[in-house]
Amino acid sequence: MGDDGFATGPSGDHDPASAVAADAGAIVDAARAAWSAGDTERTVALIDEHWSILFEQGRHELDALFRLIPLSAFKAHPRAAAVRDIRLHTDADAVARMLGPRIAMPQADDLSTIDALARSEDALTILGVTSARMIAYRVRGHYTRAHELAAVVERLARIAGVHQPALVHARVPNALLQGGVSRGLAGDFDGALGTLREAYDRGPEARSPHVARDAAGKAALFSALAGDIDQARRWLRRYETAAEVDGWLRSRLDLSADLAQSLVAIESLDRVTADATLARLELPADAEQGWGPAITYVTARHALIWGDKLRAVEQVRRDRVQFAEWLGVGSGLRHFLNHAESDLHLALRQGHRARALHAQRATHSLARSARARLALLTGDVDAAARLAAQGVREAADSRSRIDALTTQTAAHVRRGDMLAARNAYDLLTASVASTGARSFMRYLSHEEHRALGRDRTRSELLSPDRPVFPALAEGVKLTRQQRLVLDGMAAGLPIREIGKRQHLSYNTIKTHLRALYTRLGASSRDQAIARAHEEGLL
């Protein structure tokens, strides 16, 4: 989260008698004096007017003031109320009630209303309140609403910037920055990158010096997530050359850049850099929790190519619970975690677990490419070819398209349709060359590369020991009765009790047990349970 995403009110809204020096210490003293004198309205008005200075120079004092003042005192100051929620994340403050109805927000497609507001004398206040609402929704994981408000914020900023540049120009860059971040976390990478580029270009106009650097870091991350690794590299170079930021903001900005650098290194198969940057990834204390799933995704990608896949699966599951509030409807990273977990299960030959993830048919392009790979690795080659072709046509970004092309290529090879396979492979290699996303070439096995007549493919594009995915992801297959026997044994039940619960005779259960041992290659209960865990059956 950026620090200065909301505008203060226009000069016409200020009470000259309440003006204080633009210094956090003086503002805190004035606010505390007003609070001690019982003047709650003045206390809140000072926060509303000078919150950005407090945010930059006295965050702890600002938080202390927020804890002192009851929510009801903020009814006339929706901007300050939103800032309060962003700082405190208090469960009792439902967003709709917290922000209040004082200023009705126009819909994104209501251009006439937005134009009128942007030209009005209240343009700066309206821009600030709309930005505050957007961020308040975003930090709570309400990405659909934040995305809607991002469009309003951007249009207000652009129109007001044309018609009232002297009033709003210093606030427009950060409003655009926050709009771009909201779009990106909602999965709208194209929209996010366009807005972040504008924020970066206008960064020198910003009141806060961090805007250009932050916009570059976020643009690098969203580019890497979208699969355009070369574009992410360009944004990282801009990040490094932008003005540095000191203090608490530095760790927030560095997180975006480190995430981008990690993903760039992983997708370009630079393990040394990937290991080094991954070690730095940690969500700063009091940071916006919506970035947590991005760390999980990058870690899972690293494990898929080089690391401990079992451990990565457990981390994805654990973090899915930890960040549940930020992985609901409207979250772009929710689809990335689902895709990463599905790939990890398939790499571990746990096709049944990957299939369970796709029980609900998500329409996201990553979900379509994941279902295509699931079909391929569970033996349904025709379905894999069909789903992959659909994934290529409907891909929303380079990552989804390249991912689908790898499955399409492999499916055609397995079907023996080498002309179609070579056509898909040519599209794949061209896409990899244009984006720099070389890791996807490891999704094809040595045999598939050779079948395509691509023996001269550079060796680093191929796994040095084994491909990322097995030829088939269905390990040990059990019948329904064998599964019931296994579940009963894992629960510690004796054979007779398992039979009693299944209404089967002791001898029948013994027959299923012998067949189960044979399929698992085990000779005892303990061996069978251990083998079942290895196969992902428990």
Side-chain angles (χ1 to χ4, degrees), residues 74-123:
F74 290 83
K75 288 183 178 179
H77 299 277
R79 175 177 53 211
V83 178
R84 177 183 185 272
D85 181 67
I86 291 168
R87 293 301 305 147
L88 300 187
H89 301 284
T90 46
D91 293 337
D93 295 356
V95 171
R97 178 170 62 87
M98 171 194 68
L99 294 175
R102 179 185 169 201
I103 297 180
M105 294 295 102
Q107 296 298 312
D109 58 356
D110 188 356
L111 296 181
S112 61
T113 299
I114 294 175
D115 184 80
L117 292 172
R119 293 168 183 262
S120 74
E121 62 181 12
D122 293 326

Short mmCIF file of all heavy atoms in Angstrom, two decimals, residues 74-123:
data_model
loop_
_atom_site.label_atom_id
_atom_site.label_comp_id
_atom_site.label_asym_id
_atom_site.label_seq_id
_atom_site.Cartn_x
_atom_site.Cartn_y
_atom_site.Cartn_z
N PHE A 74 -16.35 9.97 13.23
CA PHE A 74 -15.84 10.14 11.87
C PHE A 74 -16.96 10.24 10.83
O PHE A 74 -16.68 10.25 9.64
CB PHE A 74 -14.92 8.97 11.51
CG PHE A 74 -13.62 8.97 12.24
CD1 PHE A 74 -13.52 8.44 13.52
CD2 PHE A 74 -12.48 9.52 11.67
CE1 PHE A 74 -12.33 8.43 14.20
CE2 PHE A 74 -11.28 9.52 12.35
CZ PHE A 74 -11.19 8.98 13.63
N LYS A 75 -18.21 10.31 11.25
CA LYS A 75 -19.31 10.30 10.30
C LYS A 75 -19.24 11.43 9.29
O LYS A 75 -19.60 11.27 8.12
CB LYS A 75 -20.65 10.36 11.05
CG LYS A 75 -21.00 9.06 11.77
CD LYS A 75 -22.36 9.16 12.44
CE LYS A 75 -22.72 7.83 13.12
NZ LYS A 75 -24.03 7.91 13.80
N ALA A 76 -18.77 12.57 9.71
CA ALA A 76 -18.69 13.72 8.80
C ALA A 76 -17.37 13.76 8.03
O ALA A 76 -17.15 14.69 7.24
CB ALA A 76 -18.87 15.03 9.59
N HIS A 77 -16.52 12.78 8.26
CA HIS A 77 -15.20 12.77 7.62
C HIS A 77 -14.92 11.39 7.04
O HIS A 77 -14.12 10.62 7.60
CB HIS A 77 -14.12 13.16 8.63
CG HIS A 77 -14.30 14.53 9.21
ND1 HIS A 77 -13.86 15.67 8.55
CD2 HIS A 77 -14.89 14.95 10.36
CE1 HIS A 77 -14.17 16.73 9.29
NE2 HIS A 77 -14.79 16.32 10.39
N PRO A 78 -15.56 11.03 5.96
CA PRO A 78 -15.38 9.67 5.41
C PRO A 78 -13.97 9.36 4.98
O PRO A 78 -13.53 8.22 5.04
CB PRO A 78 -16.34 9.66 4.21
CG PRO A 78 -16.55 11.10 3.86
CD PRO A 78 -16.49 11.84 5.16
N ARG A 79 -13.21 10.39 4.57
CA ARG A 79 -11.82 10.14 4.18
C ARG A 79 -11.02 9.70 5.40
O ARG A 79 -10.30 8.70 5.36
CB ARG A 79 -11.23 11.41 3.57
CG ARG A 79 -9.75 11.31 3.25
CD ARG A 79 -9.26 12.59 2.57
NE ARG A 79 -9.61 13.76 3.36
CZ ARG A 79 -9.87 14.97 2.84
NH1 ARG A 79 -9.85 15.14 1.53
NH2 ARG A 79 -10.16 15.99 3.61
N ALA A 80 -11.14 10.43 6.51
CA ALA A 80 -10.42 10.06 7.73
C ALA A 80 -10.90 8.71 8.25
O ALA A 80 -10.11 7.92 8.79
CB ALA A 80 -10.61 11.14 8.80
N ALA A 81 -12.20 8.41 8.09
CA ALA A 81 -12.72 7.11 8.52
C ALA A 81 -12.08 5.98 7.74
O ALA A 81 -11.73 4.93 8.29
CB ALA A 81 -14.24 7.08 8.34
N ALA A 82 -11.91 6.19 6.44
CA ALA A 82 -11.27 5.15 5.62
C ALA A 82 -9.82 4.97 6.00
O ALA A 82 -9.31 3.84 6.07
CB ALA A 82 -11.40 5.51 4.15
N VAL A 83 -9.11 6.07 6.26
CA VAL A 83 -7.72 5.98 6.67
C VAL A 83 -7.63 5.24 8.01
O VAL A 83 -6.73 4.42 8.23
CB VAL A 83 -7.08 7.38 6.79
CG1 VAL A 83 -5.64 7.27 7.28
CG2 VAL A 83 -7.12 8.10 5.45
N ARG A 84 -8.57 5.51 8.90
CA ARG A 84 -8.61 4.82 10.19
C ARG A 84 -8.71 3.31 9.99
O ARG A 84 -8.00 2.53 10.64
CB ARG A 84 -9.80 5.32 11.01
CG ARG A 84 -10.00 4.62 12.36
CD ARG A 84 -11.27 5.15 13.02
NE ARG A 84 -11.45 4.61 14.36
CZ ARG A 84 -12.08 3.48 14.64
NH1 ARG A 84 -12.56 2.75 13.64
NH2 ARG A 84 -12.22 3.07 15.87
N ASP A 85 -9.57 2.90 9.10
CA ASP A 85 -9.74 1.47 8.88
C ASP A 85 -8.49 0.85 8.26
O ASP A 85 -8.08 -0.24 8.61
CB ASP A 85 -10.93 1.20 7.97
CG ASP A 85 -11.14 -0.29 7.74
OD1 ASP A 85 -11.49 -0.98 8.70
OD2 ASP A 85 -10.91 -0.74 6.61
N ILE A 86 -7.88 1.56 7.31
CA ILE A 86 -6.67 1.06 6.68
C ILE A 86 -5.56 0.86 7.71
O ILE A 86 -4.81 -0.10 7.66
CB ILE A 86 -6.21 2.03 5.57
CG1 ILE A 86 -7.22 2.00 4.41
CG2 ILE A 86 -4.82 1.69 5.08
CD1 ILE A 86 -7.02 3.09 3.41
N ARG A 87 -5.50 1.75 8.68
CA ARG A 87 -4.45 1.67 9.69
C ARG A 87 -4.75 0.60 10.75
O ARG A 87 -3.88 -0.15 11.16
CB ARG A 87 -4.27 3.02 10.40
CG ARG A 87 -3.71 4.10 9.52
CD ARG A 87 -2.36 3.74 8.94
NE ARG A 87 -1.40 3.37 9.98
CZ ARG A 87 -0.45 2.47 9.81
NH1 ARG A 87 -0.32 1.83 8.67
NH2 ARG A 87 0.40 2.22 10.79
N LEU A 88 -6.01 0.52 11.20
CA LEU A 88 -6.32 -0.34 12.34
C LEU A 88 -6.82 -1.72 11.94
O LEU A 88 -6.72 -2.66 12.73
CB LEU A 88 -7.37 0.33 13.24
CG LEU A 88 -6.99 1.68 13.85
CD1 LEU A 88 -8.05 2.11 14.84
CD2 LEU A 88 -5.63 1.61 14.54
N HIS A 89 -7.42 -1.86 10.77
CA HIS A 89 -7.98 -3.15 10.33
C HIS A 89 -8.89 -3.74 11.39
O HIS A 89 -8.83 -4.93 11.71
CB HIS A 89 -6.86 -4.15 10.02
CG HIS A 89 -5.91 -3.71 8.97
ND1 HIS A 89 -6.22 -3.72 7.63
CD2 HIS A 89 -4.65 -3.21 9.05
CE1 HIS A 89 -5.19 -3.26 6.95
NE2 HIS A 89 -4.24 -2.94 7.78
N THR A 90 -9.74 -2.92 11.97
CA THR A 90 -10.59 -3.40 13.06
C THR A 90 -11.76 -4.20 12.52
O THR A 90 -12.47 -3.76 11.62
CB THR A 90 -11.11 -2.21 13.88
OG1 THR A 90 -11.59 -1.20 12.99
CG2 THR A 90 -10.01 -1.63 14.74
N ASP A 91 -11.97 -5.38 13.10
CA ASP A 91 -13.02 -6.27 12.60
C ASP A 91 -14.40 -5.66 12.71
O ASP A 91 -15.29 -5.96 11.92
CB ASP A 91 -12.99 -7.59 13.38
CG ASP A 91 -11.72 -8.37 13.11
OD1 ASP A 91 -11.11 -8.14 12.05
OD2 ASP A 91 -11.33 -9.20 13.95
N ALA A 92 -14.61 -4.82 13.70
CA ALA A 92 -15.94 -4.26 13.92
C ALA A 92 -16.32 -3.23 12.86
O ALA A 92 -17.49 -2.90 12.70
CB ALA A 92 -16.03 -3.63 15.30
N ASP A 93 -15.35 -2.72 12.15
CA ASP A 93 -15.61 -1.64 11.19
C ASP A 93 -15.97 -2.21 9.83
O ASP A 93 -15.13 -2.35 8.96
CB ASP A 93 -14.39 -0.73 11.04
CG ASP A 93 -14.08 0.02 12.33
OD1 ASP A 93 -14.83 -0.10 13.29
OD2 ASP A 93 -13.06 0.72 12.35
N ALA A 94 -17.23 -2.58 9.64
CA ALA A 94 -17.67 -3.04 8.33
C ALA A 94 -17.48 -1.91 7.34
O ALA A 94 -17.78 -0.75 7.65
CB ALA A 94 -19.14 -3.46 8.37
N VAL A 95 -16.98 -2.21 6.15
CA VAL A 95 -16.61 -1.16 5.20
C VAL A 95 -17.78 -0.25 4.89
O VAL A 95 -17.66 0.97 4.92
CB VAL A 95 -16.04 -1.79 3.91
CG1 VAL A 95 -15.86 -0.72 2.83
CG2 VAL A 95 -14.72 -2.46 4.19
N ALA A 96 -18.93 -0.82 4.59
CA ALA A 96 -20.06 0.01 4.19
C ALA A 96 -20.45 0.99 5.29
O ALA A 96 -20.72 2.16 5.05
CB ALA A 96 -21.25 -0.86 3.83
N ARG A 97 -20.47 0.52 6.55
CA ARG A 97 -20.86 1.38 7.66
C ARG A 97 -19.76 2.37 7.98
O ARG A 97 -20.00 3.54 8.28
CB ARG A 97 -21.15 0.52 8.89
CG ARG A 97 -21.53 1.33 10.12
CD ARG A 97 -22.05 0.42 11.23
NE ARG A 97 -21.04 -0.53 11.66
CZ ARG A 97 -20.14 -0.25 12.62
NH1 ARG A 97 -20.12 0.94 13.20
NH2 ARG A 97 -19.27 -1.15 12.99
N MET A 98 -18.53 1.91 7.88
CA MET A 98 -17.39 2.74 8.25
C MET A 98 -17.26 3.98 7.37
O MET A 98 -17.03 5.08 7.85
CB MET A 98 -16.12 1.91 8.14
CG MET A 98 -14.83 2.69 8.28
SD MET A 98 -13.45 1.70 7.74
CE MET A 98 -13.78 1.60 5.99
N LEU A 99 -17.45 3.80 6.09
CA LEU A 99 -17.19 4.91 5.18
C LEU A 99 -18.32 5.90 5.11
O LEU A 99 -18.12 7.07 4.82
CB LEU A 99 -16.90 4.35 3.78
CG LEU A 99 -15.61 3.54 3.71
CD1 LEU A 99 -15.46 2.93 2.33
CD2 LEU A 99 -14.41 4.40 4.02
N GLY A 100 -19.53 5.45 5.36
CA GLY A 100 -20.65 6.37 5.39
C GLY A 100 -21.11 6.85 4.03
O GLY A 100 -20.41 6.70 3.03
N PRO A 101 -22.30 7.46 3.95
CA PRO A 101 -22.90 7.85 2.67
C PRO A 101 -22.71 9.30 2.29
O PRO A 101 -23.36 9.79 1.38
CB PRO A 101 -24.38 7.56 2.94
CG PRO A 101 -24.55 7.95 4.38
CD PRO A 101 -23.26 7.59 5.07
N ARG A 102 -21.82 10.00 2.94
CA ARG A 102 -21.77 11.46 2.75
C ARG A 102 -21.56 11.84 1.29
O ARG A 102 -22.21 12.73 0.76
CB ARG A 102 -20.64 12.05 3.62
CG ARG A 102 -20.53 13.57 3.45
CD ARG A 102 -19.33 14.10 4.21
NE ARG A 102 -19.06 15.48 3.85
CZ ARG A 102 -17.90 16.07 4.01
NH1 ARG A 102 -16.89 15.41 4.51
NH2 ARG A 102 -17.72 17.32 3.66
N ILE A 103 -20.62 11.17 0.64
CA ILE A 103 -20.36 11.46 -0.77
C ILE A 103 -20.67 10.21 -1.57
O ILE A 103 -19.99 9.19 -1.44
CB ILE A 103 -18.90 11.90 -1.00
CG1 ILE A 103 -18.61 13.20 -0.23
CG2 ILE A 103 -18.62 12.07 -2.47
CD1 ILE A 103 -17.21 13.69 -0.40
N ALA A 104 -21.70 10.28 -2.38
CA ALA A 104 -22.09 9.13 -3.20
C ALA A 104 -21.10 8.98 -4.35
O ALA A 104 -20.79 9.94 -5.05
CB ALA A 104 -23.50 9.32 -3.74
N MET A 105 -20.61 7.76 -4.54
CA MET A 105 -19.64 7.50 -5.58
C MET A 105 -20.36 7.19 -6.90
O MET A 105 -21.28 6.36 -6.93
CB MET A 105 -18.76 6.30 -5.22
CG MET A 105 -17.87 6.53 -4.01
SD MET A 105 -16.63 7.82 -4.28
CE MET A 105 -17.39 9.20 -3.41
N PRO A 106 -19.97 7.82 -7.99
CA PRO A 106 -20.58 7.50 -9.29
C PRO A 106 -20.10 6.15 -9.79
O PRO A 106 -19.07 5.63 -9.35
CB PRO A 106 -20.07 8.63 -10.19
CG PRO A 106 -18.75 9.02 -9.59
CD PRO A 106 -18.92 8.87 -8.10
N GLN A 107 -20.85 5.56 -10.71
CA GLN A 107 -20.41 4.34 -11.35
C GLN A 107 -19.32 4.66 -12.37
O GLN A 107 -19.25 5.77 -12.90
CB GLN A 107 -21.59 3.66 -12.05
CG GLN A 107 -22.68 3.20 -11.10
CD GLN A 107 -22.18 2.17 -10.10
OE1 GLN A 107 -21.52 1.20 -10.48
NE2 GLN A 107 -22.48 2.39 -8.82
N ALA A 108 -18.48 3.68 -12.67
CA ALA A 108 -17.35 3.91 -13.56
C ALA A 108 -17.77 4.34 -14.95
O ALA A 108 -17.05 5.07 -15.64
CB ALA A 108 -16.48 2.65 -13.64
N ASP A 109 -18.96 3.89 -15.39
CA ASP A 109 -19.41 4.24 -16.74
C ASP A 109 -20.28 5.49 -16.77
O ASP A 109 -20.77 5.88 -17.83
CB ASP A 109 -20.16 3.06 -17.37
CG ASP A 109 -21.36 2.62 -16.53
OD1 ASP A 109 -21.56 3.18 -15.43
OD2 ASP A 109 -22.09 1.72 -16.98
N ASP A 110 -20.46 6.13 -15.62
CA ASP A 110 -21.26 7.36 -15.56
C ASP A 110 -20.33 8.55 -15.82
O ASP A 110 -20.00 9.33 -14.93
CB ASP A 110 -21.92 7.47 -14.19
CG ASP A 110 -22.93 8.62 -14.12
OD1 ASP A 110 -23.06 9.37 -15.10
OD2 ASP A 110 -23.58 8.76 -13.06
N LEU A 111 -19.94 8.69 -17.07
CA LEU A 111 -18.92 9.68 -17.41
C LEU A 111 -19.38 11.11 -17.18
O LEU A 111 -18.57 11.97 -16.81
CB LEU A 111 -18.51 9.49 -18.88
CG LEU A 111 -17.83 8.16 -19.22
CD1 LEU A 111 -17.45 8.12 -20.69
CD2 LEU A 111 -16.60 7.93 -18.35
N SER A 112 -20.63 11.38 -17.40
CA SER A 112 -21.11 12.75 -17.22
C SER A 112 -21.01 13.19 -15.76
O SER A 112 -20.60 14.32 -15.46
CB SER A 112 -22.55 12.88 -17.72
OG SER A 112 -23.41 12.02 -16.99
N THR A 113 -21.36 12.28 -14.85
CA THR A 113 -21.26 12.62 -13.43
C THR A 113 -19.81 12.76 -13.01
O THR A 113 -19.44 13.70 -12.28
CB THR A 113 -21.95 11.54 -12.57
OG1 THR A 113 -23.33 11.46 -12.92
CG2 THR A 113 -21.83 11.86 -11.09
N ILE A 114 -18.96 11.84 -13.46
CA ILE A 114 -17.54 11.93 -13.13
C ILE A 114 -16.95 13.22 -13.66
O ILE A 114 -16.18 13.91 -12.98
CB ILE A 114 -16.78 10.71 -13.68
CG1 ILE A 114 -17.24 9.44 -12.98
CG2 ILE A 114 -15.27 10.89 -13.52
CD1 ILE A 114 -16.63 8.17 -13.54
N ASP A 115 -17.32 13.58 -14.88
CA ASP A 115 -16.81 14.81 -15.48
C ASP A 115 -17.22 16.03 -14.66
O ASP A 115 -16.41 16.93 -14.39
CB ASP A 115 -17.32 14.94 -16.91
CG ASP A 115 -16.74 16.15 -17.62
OD1 ASP A 115 -15.59 16.07 -18.08
OD2 ASP A 115 -17.43 17.19 -17.69
N ALA A 116 -18.50 16.04 -14.23
CA ALA A 116 -18.98 17.17 -13.43
C ALA A 116 -18.25 17.25 -12.10
O ALA A 116 -17.87 18.35 -11.65
CB ALA A 116 -20.49 17.04 -13.22
N LEU A 117 -18.06 16.11 -11.45
CA LEU A 117 -17.34 16.11 -10.17
C LEU A 117 -15.89 16.54 -10.35
O LEU A 117 -15.35 17.27 -9.52
CB LEU A 117 -17.40 14.71 -9.55
CG LEU A 117 -18.77 14.23 -9.06
CD1 LEU A 117 -18.71 12.76 -8.66
CD2 LEU A 117 -19.25 15.08 -7.89
N ALA A 118 -15.26 16.08 -11.42
CA ALA A 118 -13.86 16.42 -11.66
C ALA A 118 -13.67 17.90 -11.94
O ALA A 118 -12.59 18.45 -11.70
CB ALA A 118 -13.32 15.59 -12.82
N ARG A 119 -14.70 18.57 -12.46
CA ARG A 119 -14.61 20.00 -12.75
C ARG A 119 -15.06 20.86 -11.58
O ARG A 119 -14.89 22.09 -11.62
CB ARG A 119 -15.49 20.34 -13.97
CG ARG A 119 -15.03 19.74 -15.28
CD ARG A 119 -16.11 19.89 -16.34
NE ARG A 119 -15.76 19.28 -17.61
CZ ARG A 119 -15.27 19.94 -18.66
NH1 ARG A 119 -15.07 21.24 -18.58
NH2 ARG A 119 -14.99 19.32 -19.77
N SER A 120 -15.63 20.24 -10.55
CA SER A 120 -16.20 21.01 -9.45
C SER A 120 -15.12 21.50 -8.49
O SER A 120 -13.97 21.04 -8.52
CB SER A 120 -17.21 20.16 -8.69
OG SER A 120 -16.54 19.18 -7.91
N GLU A 121 -15.52 22.40 -7.60
CA GLU A 121 -14.56 22.92 -6.62
C GLU A 121 -14.21 21.86 -5.57
O GLU A 121 -13.23 22.00 -4.84
CB GLU A 121 -15.14 24.15 -5.92
CG GLU A 121 -16.41 23.88 -5.14
CD GLU A 121 -16.97 25.12 -4.48
OE1 GLU A 121 -16.51 26.23 -4.81
OE2 GLU A 121 -17.86 24.97 -3.63
N ASP A 122 -15.01 20.79 -5.50
CA ASP A 122 -14.74 19.71 -4.55
C ASP A 122 -13.95 18.57 -5.17
O ASP A 122 -13.85 17.48 -4.60
CB ASP A 122 -16.07 19.14 -4.02
CG ASP A 122 -16.83 20.14 -3.17
OD1 ASP A 122 -16.16 20.93 -2.46
OD2 ASP A 122 -18.07 20.13 -3.20
N ALA A 123 -13.37 18.80 -6.35
CA ALA A 123 -12.70 17.71 -7.08
C ALA A 123 -11.62 17.02 -6.24
O ALA A 123 -11.51 15.79 -6.24
CB ALA A 123 -12.10 18.24 -8.37
#
